[in-house]
Amino acid sequence: MNISIATATFYNIPFTEALELIKRAGFESIELDTYWTGGDNWEVTQHLRNIRPREVLKIVRESGLRINSLHDMGGVIFKDTDTLIGAGTYEYLEFGEKDIPCLVFHAPHKKTEDRSWWSGYAPKAAEDLKALKDRFLVCIENIQNFPGYQTSLIDPAEMLAFVRDNGLYINIDTTHYAQCGIDIVSAAKFVRDYVKGVHFSDYKDGKRHLFPGEGVLELKGFVNSLKLDGLHALTLECNIPYEKGRPEVSVESMKRARSYVESLIL
């Protein structure tokens, strides 16, 4: 199992600086989060805006860090003929297939009042992802509902059935299950045979992606419920402080977060 950190943690600083901080903290690998904009004027991973995927891959290679997983940050479906896979992701795979062992996709979500939309779209999602599963480890990440949207696969049983039937795997996000009122320990026990990735953070009173140990989640019980020997990556996707001109603030925080995770798996 690899312990990595999500590059989107530092979405508001230059990408090269983010990689430098991550490397100084002792990490050898990252989850590379793609740039995405869409939905209701959403924008994520802003530090990759206007940088082509092939250039991003070059920057990562030059940093000396390894890509544990590529996270397609989309997932919004506008019409049922849309693919779940972002256009940028295809470019990453074209120029970096040998660098990318694992792909993580958000569970599809659509702006609609029709709760049955997923049953019609699911075959399309499955077919698109099946085209990748022979070349990559492909995981679906559980996410929460957004106002006005219907999100698929929130129920762990539905997620398990979808990945099992289509030769896929699961990336559990602890905060997203907490946002849905789903107990992370019970969920981990239920889907553990198909969990290959984790987005690890804490949660409390609506505050998302908290630093591990600063929330109320039963993180020790969660980790103990996973099959760690079968896990591809545990990725820190949590709040890390940043102060311009004081890199040690971020570096020491990342070191503490990693030590926290390592203490849970001993």
Side-chain angles (χ1 to χ4, degrees):
M1 180 191 69
N2 301 299
I3 300 176
S4 63
I5 190 162
T7 56
T9 301
F10 299 107
Y11 71 92
N12 58 341
I13 67 173
F15 184 62
T16 52
E17 183 180 353
L19 296 183
E20 289 170 6
L21 291 173
I22 291 169
K23 192 165 185 180
R24 283 185 59 176
F27 287 87
E28 297 177 347
S29 61
I30 56 171
E31 176 183 82
L32 178 56
D33 299 310
T34 66
Y35 175 75
W36 182 81
T37 182
D40 291 340
N41 297 315
W42 294 332
E43 186 179 26
V44 294
T45 321
Q46 289 89 327
H47 59 191
L48 293 184
R49 187 194 300 125
N50 300 323
I51 307 179
R52 293 295 298 270
R54 67 192 75 176
E55 178 63 20
V56 174
L57 290 166
K58 180 174 181 290
I59 293 170
V60 174
R61 291 181 190 123
E62 291 174 348
S63 77
L65 290 165
R66 185 179 72 254
I67 299 172
N68 256 345
S69 52
L70 180 77
H71 185 7
D72 183 316
M73 298 291 277
V76 175
I77 305 302
F78 297 96
K79 54 184 184 298
D80 288 346
T81 55
D82 288 347
T83 179
L84 173 61
I85 305 164
T89 295
Y90 281 115
E91 187 172 337
Y92 277 109
L93 301 186
E94 179 182 357
F95 290 93
E97 178 170 350
K98 293 181 180 179
D99 300 315
I100 300 167
C102 176
L103 303 173
V104 178
F105 295 92
H106 286 142
H109 39 299
K110 184 178 183 181
K111 193 170 187 177
T112 180
E113 297 300 321
D114 180 10
R115 297 189 177 186
S116 67
W117 79 275
W118 169 244
S119 61
Y121 183 75
K124 165 69 173 169
E127 195 64 29
D128 288 345
L129 294 174
K130 281 180 182 178
L132 299 174
K133 73 180 183 68
D134 291 335
R135 296 157 53 204
F136 309 95
L137 183 66
V138 179
C139 299
I140 307 297
E141 176 189 352
N142 59 291
I143 60 170
Q144 77 282 14
N145 258 327
F146 303 94
Y149 286 76
Q150 296 296 326
T151 299
S152 63
L153 307 177
I154 289 178
D155 185 333
E158 293 181 6
M159 175 71 84
L160 180 60
F162 181 75
V163 299
R164 184 180 55 208
D165 292 348
N166 293 292
L168 307 171
Y169 295 94
I170 298 169
N171 186 93
I172 288 184
D173 187 297
T174 53
T175 278
H176 292 164
Y177 268 145
Q179 287 178 279
C180 298
I182 295 173
D183 178 71
I184 61 171
V185 176
S186 298
K189 289 178 179 178
F190 187 73
V191 301
R192 65 198 304 258
D193 289 338
Y194 286 84
V195 177
K196 292 295 183 181
V198 171
H199 283 168
F200 195 76
S201 64
D202 218 329
Y203 178 85
K204 182 179 181 181
D205 298 332
K207 296 177 181 177
R208 304 172 299 155
H209 300 298
L210 294 179
F211 194 89
E214 293 184 352
V216 297
L217 298 186
E218 181 48 61
L219 297 176
K220 176 66 173 176
F222 169 76
V223 170
N224 286 344
S225 299
L226 298 171
K227 287 187 173 180
L228 296 178
D229 57 350
L231 202 63
H232 171 69
L234 188 151
T235 298
L236 288 161
E237 193 185 59
C238 59
N239 296 335
I240 299 293
Y242 172 80
E243 294 184 24
K244 187 174 179 61
R246 296 188 63 204
E248 67 276 8
V249 172
S250 298
V251 169
E252 291 306 313
S253 181
M254 282 187 279
K255 287 181 177 179
R256 290 197 307 274
R258 179 168 186 150
S259 293
Y260 183 96
V261 172
E262 290 173 341
S263 73
L264 296 182
I265 62 180
L266 291 177

